[in-house]
Amino acid sequence: IVVKLLKVINMTVKEILEKAIDTYGKQGQVDVAIEEMSELTQALLHERRDREHNIAEELADVEIMCKQLEMIFDCEPEVKFFVNKKLNRLKERLE
């Protein structure tokens, strides 16, 4: 569904994220990222306490903001490196 919506508006994900950064500014988007991570934290605590939550929605928001943070701080290759490094370390610990 998301892919179809993006095709309808003729913008790639990267273009949308770049436009958000340009429109709201780097610091504004960093602040939004912090807010979204806080909302995910709250949703996780609600789930733990058997209360209504929206974890999937908050995860989506955080994922979008993490992509913007990679763009803002120009660190996508480093993030990929550390993700692979940490996944390999986890794999080794599980074996």
Side-chain angles (χ1 to χ4, degrees), residues 20-86:
I21 294 165
D22 290 343
T23 300
Y24 302 114
K26 291 179 180 181
Q27 190 58 55
Q29 291 307 89
V30 169
D31 291 347
V32 171
I34 293 166
E35 290 171 13
E36 295 298 350
M37 289 184 278
S38 176
E39 290 174 11
L40 175 57
T41 300
Q42 280 187 319
L44 291 167
L45 289 171
H46 283 187
E47 191 280 333
R48 183 182 281 183
R49 296 178 181 138
D50 292 325
R51 294 169 54 192
E52 188 174 328
H53 60 79
N54 53 349
I55 291 173
E57 181 179 359
E58 298 306 338
L59 278 168
D61 290 340
V62 168
E63 186 173 327
I64 290 166
M65 296 314 300
C66 283
K67 290 297 178 192
Q68 288 186 61
L69 292 173
E70 288 179 8
M71 294 167 72
I72 289 167
F73 295 106
D74 192 27
C75 63
E76 185 178 0
E78 292 91 346
V79 170
K80 287 181 180 180
F81 169 81
F82 284 113
V83 166
N84 285 327
K85 181 179 179 180
K86 290 172 184 282

Side-chain angles (χ1 to χ4, degrees), residues 3-13 15-16:
V3 174
K4 290 180 183 179
L5 290 175
L6 293 176
K7 288 181 182 178
V8 170
I9 57 177
N10 292 323
M11 291 180 79
T12 65
V13 171
E15 290 170 335
I16 293 169

